[in-house]
Amino acid sequence: MKVKVISRSAEVFTRERSQDLQPVFKNYDPSLRPLEKGVEYVRALNAVKLDKIFARPFIGAMDSHVDAISSMARNPSQLKEIFAGSMDGDIRLWDIAARRTICQFPGHRGGVQGLTVSTDGRILVSCGTDSTVRLWNVPVSSFVDPYALIKQLEPASVYPWKNAFRAADHQWDGEHFATGGAQVDIWNHNRSQPVNSFVWGSDTVISVRFNPGEPNLLASSASDRSINLYDLRMDSPIRKMIMQTKTNSIAWNPMEPINFTVANEDGSCYSYDSRKLSEAKCVHEDHVSAVMDIDYSPTGREFVTGAYDKSLRIFPYNGGHSREIYSTKRMGRVFCVKFSGDGSYVISGSDDANLRVWKANASEQLGVILPREKKKHQYNEAIKKRYRHLHEIKRIARHRHVPRPIYKATKLMRIMADARKRKEQRRKDHSAPGSVTTKPRRIRKIIKEVE
């Protein structure tokens, strides 16, 4: 007869310090723990409810601007700095952590429509309705004295041009930047005139964006409802797609540079593969008014949108509906949005002359987190992910309080969509088989593609 004896050394189950928890040894055999799934379900339910209780996304507002915020740019070399331009020509460099202005860049005599920063964070490029392009030297970041006077800087270069500008963007790796107005112009830091220009149609270019993976690839949208792709190494544009409604902004996915998402006038966003523009990869819908701006998180897993319905939403990159909606009673129409450099915060600019800082994860705990707290958060996230398909957990996780106008508009749009579906189905039922076909929405919004 064999006798098995459990033997443990004293070092394994003895605490090193009096503040440590007493080690507990568990047998994870499922037969010995018949209620394990029930216990985990209750923990997941409580974790989802706690997320709702501690959901406080709004952090603070920065309100020194006088007119509506029209453009923003993130400083690639600094996590806590962001540039904002307003319709009265005022440009400010903000410290997000201290929520105060570091310095001002005066000079524009009209609305600042385009702001962009070089990859090294040393040069700021601005353009606007006064038909000038201005280059500024960005001051080196240092400790911000809350009682110091706000510095006003002079532009390093001023390049006047023939037409007003609507957008600007800098190469991710290079010395060129692009502006959009009557046409797409490519500029160099050391040249007072564009080194190249692209024209495809005669309508105003609304937005321009360089590809993060291929520095010479550029996308733009125009007021004739077109989306264009350009290559700086060629003399003519590559491809053009025309949609039913106008595209207000474009954002490339930084982790999948072949994909980009557009913010459309019909209240939806459309994700495309730049190699196949005949069909959208995904349609992101939830806004009830025109989507004005869009920006991807540095992780590439989600993006934020700002809309004319006075709200901003955070979408997963491959999801059809938003996971978060942020709004306040005093916030006006949102014209520009940006993720912070680490993807933890969202900054929005609206026509009430305010910049607002939000948490990307509404229930995230700010400040220093102890190792035990961090493990607890990770465990809660794991069990929420494991039981997210169950009805009660899904219902609580999806529930959002939205402003009354958005709620009513969403309800009305749902009724209209159902009516269209019924009408389409009746038309099919009373027509010859195969004579009436329904295009999916991923294709329906595209009129044609030109190469």
Side-chain angles (χ1 to χ4, degrees):
M1 178 179 178
K2 291 183 179 179
V3 178
K4 293 183 179 179
V5 179
I6 298 176
S7 176
R8 297 195 186 105
S9 63
E11 296 178 355
V12 176
F13 57 86
T14 304
R15 293 182 296 178
E16 294 181 359
R17 296 179 300 174
S18 60
Q19 291 84 5
D20 293 347
L21 295 177
Q22 191 73 35
V24 178
F25 296 93
K26 295 182 180 179
N27 190 338
Y28 291 99
D29 186 1
S31 61
L32 301 177
R33 307 178 68 193
L35 301 177
E36 180 183 10
K37 287 192 174 181
V39 171
E40 281 192 346
Y41 169 75
V42 173
R43 288 175 180 171
L45 195 61
N46 291 336
V48 174
K49 291 178 180 178
L50 286 173
D51 277 354
K52 292 297 175 185
I53 293 173
F54 292 108
R56 300 289 185 270
F58 181 66
I59 296 176
M62 301 180 285
D63 56 356
S64 295
H65 283 280
V66 179
D67 210 339
I69 309 296
S70 55
S71 57
M72 288 196 305
R74 187 171 57 234
N75 191 343
S77 63
Q78 295 291 333
L79 280 178
K80 63 175 185 175
E81 291 183 1
I82 193 163
F83 298 89
S86 58
M87 292 302 294
D88 62 348
D90 183 24
I91 304 173
R92 290 172 180 258
L93 172 59
W94 289 92
D95 186 320
I96 302 175
R99 294 208 294 274
R100 71 178 303 273
T101 304
I102 298 175
C103 60
Q104 282 183 282
F105 304 88
H108 280 284
R109 298 187 178 182
V112 181
Q113 297 287 349
L115 277 179
T116 183
V117 188
S118 61
T119 311
D120 56 7
R122 296 181 180 179
I123 298 177
L124 169 68
V125 179
S126 64
C127 61
T129 55
D130 59 353
S131 304
T132 61
V133 175
R134 296 172 185 263
L135 273 62
W136 315 78
N137 292 322
V138 179
V140 179
S141 178
S142 60
F143 173 73
V144 179
D145 183 3
Y147 301 102
L149 295 176
I150 298 174
K151 296 184 293 184
Q152 294 192 356
L153 304 181
E154 294 296 325
S157 303
V158 180
Y159 303 147
W161 195 234
K162 299 177 290 186
N163 51 265
F165 298 102
R166 290 291 304 273
D169 192 43
H170 200 284
Q171 273 186 322
W172 288 62
D173 184 16
E175 292 186 351
H176 292 89
F177 62 92
T179 58
Q183 58 191 6
V184 175
D185 296 316
I186 309 301
W187 303 72
N188 189 287
H189 293 171
N190 304 315
R191 299 283 296 274
S192 61
Q193 291 187 347
V195 296
N196 199 356
S197 296
F198 295 100
V199 180
W200 196 344
S202 58
D203 284 68
T204 304
V205 178
I206 300 173
S207 68
V208 289
R209 286 291 182 273
F210 274 101
N211 187 292
E214 175 52 62
N216 295 311
L217 187 60
L218 174 72
S220 72
S221 64
S223 56
D224 61 352
R225 312 186 309 277
S226 66
I227 298 173
N228 306 310
L229 294 179
Y230 308 93
D231 193 330
L232 304 189
R233 297 163 294 189
M234 301 177 65
D235 295 331
S236 60
I238 304 173
R239 195 174 297 174
K240 181 178 183 179
M241 176 184 63
I242 301 176
M243 299 185 68
Q244 290 183 357
T245 46
K246 184 176 67 175
T247 295
N248 292 318
S249 184
I250 299 176
W252 293 90
N253 190 332
M255 292 292 107
E256 299 176 1
I258 59 173
N259 300 328
F260 64 91
T261 305
V262 300
N264 207 266
E265 194 78 13
D266 63 356
S268 300
C269 298
Y270 301 87
S271 293
Y272 292 97
D273 189 327
S274 58
R275 302 166 297 181
K276 182 184 178 184
L277 298 179
S278 58
E279 179 180 355
K281 293 186 66 177
C282 186
V283 180
H284 316 272
E285 52 186 7
D286 266 345
H287 282 292
V288 297
S289 189
V291 185
M292 304 304 296
D293 197 15
I294 182 172
D295 186 50
Y296 261 95
S297 168
T299 62
R301 309 301 294 179
E302 56 189 12
F303 59 87
V304 61
T305 58
Y308 209 70
D309 58 8
K310 303 180 182 180
S311 70
L312 58 146
R313 293 177 181 265
I314 299 177
F315 290 83
Y317 79 105
N318 58 355
H321 295 278
S322 62
R323 69 166 180 85
E324 289 289 355
I325 174 173
Y326 296 155
S327 180
T328 64
K329 290 183 179 179
R330 297 184 179 184
M331 187 163 68
R333 300 177 179 92
V334 182
F335 288 144
C336 43
V337 289
K338 288 291 179 186
F339 261 102
S340 62
D342 58 354
S344 300
Y345 303 97
V346 173
I347 300 96
S348 66
S350 51
D351 63 356
D352 59 351
N354 272 266
L355 288 171
R356 289 179 172 85
V357 184
W358 313 79
K359 289 189 284 188
N361 184 3
S363 59
E364 183 180 3
Q365 181 180 345
L366 298 180
V368 179
I369 301 177
L370 298 175
R372 283 173 53 193
E373 292 177 318
K374 190 173 182 180
K375 289 181 180 179
K376 179 63 175 176
H377 292 329
Q378 292 172 348
Y379 175 73
N380 285 342
E381 290 297 325
I383 58 176
K384 281 191 296 183
K385 186 176 180 180
R386 182 175 184 179
Y387 294 97
R388 63 185 174 184
H389 62 282
L390 296 180
H391 172 72
E392 189 67 11
I393 293 178
K394 186 193 297 185
R395 182 188 66 81
I396 296 173
R398 289 179 55 188
H399 181 73
R400 296 289 184 277
H401 287 287
V402 298
R404 187 177 293 273
I406 296 179
Y407 177 79
K408 288 185 175 180
T410 304
K411 188 176 180 180
L412 181 61
M413 291 174 64
R414 192 177 295 120
I415 293 172
M416 294 166 63
D418 292 341
R420 282 195 296 267
K421 287 181 182 178
R422 287 196 303 270
K423 184 177 181 179
E424 193 70 28
Q425 187 60 41
R426 288 168 183 168
R427 185 182 284 117
K428 281 184 180 180
D429 294 341
H430 294 83
S431 302
S435 60
V436 178
T437 58
T438 303
K439 290 184 179 179
R441 193 173 177 190
R442 291 172 293 133
I443 302 175
R444 194 189 315 153
K445 290 291 180 179
I446 301 173
I447 297 178
K448 64 177 179 178
E449 183 183 1
V450 184
E451 293 191 9

